[in-house]
Amino acid sequence: LFVVVSISVSCLLFFLLKEEITQEEGNNSATSLGSSVYNYNSSTPSSSVVSKDLRKMKVVAVPCWSDNYAYLLIDEENKVAGAVDPVEPEKVNAEADKLGVKIVAVLTTHHHADHSSGNQGMADSHPGINVYGGDDRIPALTKKVGDKDQFSIGNISIQVFFTPCHTRGHVLYYATHSSSSPSIFTGDTLFIAGCGRFFEGDAKQMNYALNKVISSLPDDTLVYCGHEYTVTNLKFAKTIEPENKDVLSKLEWAEKKRKNGEQTIPSTIGEEKKTNPFMRVKERSVARGAKLEEGANE
């Protein structure tokens, strides 16, 4: 299975590299990569990094199906929450009840069933709730959003980024609060150490999403993705950059986490710039690992 996945992901990386090279040839500019805010030299990262109790803004992951994540984005001050991709409404509602918060919105990253098929159930259990999304194919949609649209959940500000590629209506939700670290919900665009398949888009769009939109956000932004693919992605990243110490240490960390039945989310944007080959397409080592040496910048 890993061999099949690696071949498929290698194709994605190849197209991203080619797209980046084409853009660089056009504008003859390069963007420096940010530094990591993680330390994976121990079995347990810094609590300040992995903690999901973000002062007044809290994120709770709700594992769904075989490897999906739904999330509760909670305003602790007002005890209200947005449910991100709540594919199993019963689980998400039960978690909200346990935490004593009221779900006031559904945030859908894209229309695929493993992210949106719980929307009608959420609408039925929360009459009048707003269901946000960027695609008319999303079930129970009440608020269609586009790039740079903004709304709020209690005192949490949400900004939408339109990132078509995985699907033509995929969006990201960037959440900020005055007293908390920012968070971004990336659905199937950005995974930890990986990216989504180009079902309805191309490399140019994915490159823009990863290396223009997402990479421009603060490095301490916490990344909450749609699936638990971390170990497989890092194994692939290791084949591309076998001497990348950040990749090696994070892979060791992730394997221990999964062996213990623990989640590997969140990551940070800074960490992805150090370990995710799809956000490192300007690096010579990535071009060399993808057999595209001539495309790398010095």
Side-chain angles (χ1 to χ4, degrees):
L1 175 60
F2 175 63
V3 173
V4 174
V5 171
S6 293
I7 293 172
S8 176
V9 178
S10 294
C11 291
L12 299 187
L13 180 57
F14 175 82
F15 284 118
L16 267 184
L17 278 161
K18 292 293 286 183
E19 175 57 35
E20 187 64 27
I21 291 163
T22 300
Q23 289 194 5
E24 288 302 314
E25 287 174 346
N27 60 31
N28 195 32
S29 63
T31 303
S32 62
L33 296 172
S35 59
S36 174
V37 296
Y38 273 37
N39 181 354
Y40 284 95
N41 293 325
S42 62
S43 59
T44 304
S46 165
S47 61
S48 65
V49 173
V50 299
S51 173
K52 303 179 191 67
D53 188 1
L54 306 175
R55 301 184 191 173
K56 301 300 183 180
M57 183 171 73
K58 183 176 182 180
V59 177
V60 176
V62 183
C64 295
W65 289 19
S66 61
D67 55 30
N68 278 73
Y69 284 122
Y71 297 99
L72 288 171
L73 172 61
I74 302 170
D75 172 12
E76 290 276 65
E77 296 168 292
N78 297 293
K79 295 297 180 183
V80 295
V84 181
D85 290 347
V87 67
E88 292 192 67
E90 299 82 3
K91 286 185 178 180
V92 176
N93 285 332
E95 188 67 26
D97 289 343
K98 184 176 76 174
L99 296 170
V101 298
K102 179 182 179 181
I103 297 175
V104 296
V106 171
L107 285 62
T108 311
T109 59
H110 62 293
H111 79 284
H112 285 167
D114 60 331
H115 294 261
S116 70
S117 62
N119 285 6
Q120 190 59 57
M122 294 297 292
D124 291 343
S125 58
H126 302 277
I129 195 171
N130 281 325
V131 177
Y132 294 89
D135 195 318
D136 290 325
R137 295 172 290 181
I138 291 172
L141 183 69
T142 65
K143 297 284 187 180
K144 188 174 182 180
V145 292
D147 195 44
K148 304 296 175 38
D149 282 350
Q150 299 184 33
F151 58 95
S152 61
I153 296 172
N155 292 329
I156 299 173
S157 298
I158 309 293
Q159 183 169 5
V160 178
F161 295 112
F162 184 54
T163 55
C165 181
H166 182 70
T167 68
R168 63 177 180 266
H170 199 297
V171 298
L172 316 178
Y173 297 99
Y174 180 60
T176 58
H177 189 284
S178 59
S179 64
S180 301
S181 300
S183 297
I184 191 163
F185 299 89
T186 59
D188 286 1
T189 291
L190 172 67
F191 298 125
I192 299 179
C195 74
R197 294 179 65 184
F198 307 169
F199 284 119
E200 297 180 351
D202 56 30
K204 180 178 181 179
Q205 291 173 314
M206 184 60 77
N207 185 59
Y208 180 79
L210 299 180
N211 298 310
K212 307 301 180 185
V213 176
I214 294 173
S215 68
S216 71
L217 299 174
D219 277 358
D220 67 344
T221 300
L222 297 172
V223 175
Y224 293 95
C225 58
H227 292 271
E228 181 60 67
Y229 292 160
T230 304
V231 170
T232 298
N233 288 344
L234 285 166
K235 285 180 178 179
F236 171 74
K238 180 181 175 181
T239 69
I240 297 297
E241 293 187 283
E243 297 180 0
N244 184 327
K245 293 181 179 179
D246 293 294
V247 169
L248 298 177
S249 58
K250 188 167 186 179
L251 175 58
E252 181 182 1
W253 169 84
E255 288 178 325
K256 288 180 180 178
K257 296 285 280 187
R258 296 307 295 154
K259 184 178 180 179
N260 294 331
E262 298 174 348
Q263 302 164 0
T264 62
I265 46 91
S267 182
T268 69
I269 289 174
E271 178 64 16
E272 292 307 299
K273 291 176 180 178
K274 300 285 283 186
T275 60
N276 190 326
F278 301 96
M279 293 186 72
R280 292 175 55 76
V281 291
K282 293 178 182 289
E283 294 295 292
R284 189 177 203 88
S285 55
V286 173
R288 182 168 57 247
K291 313 303 181 187
L292 207 63
E293 175 86 24
E294 70 274 15
N297 292 315
E298 292 291 340

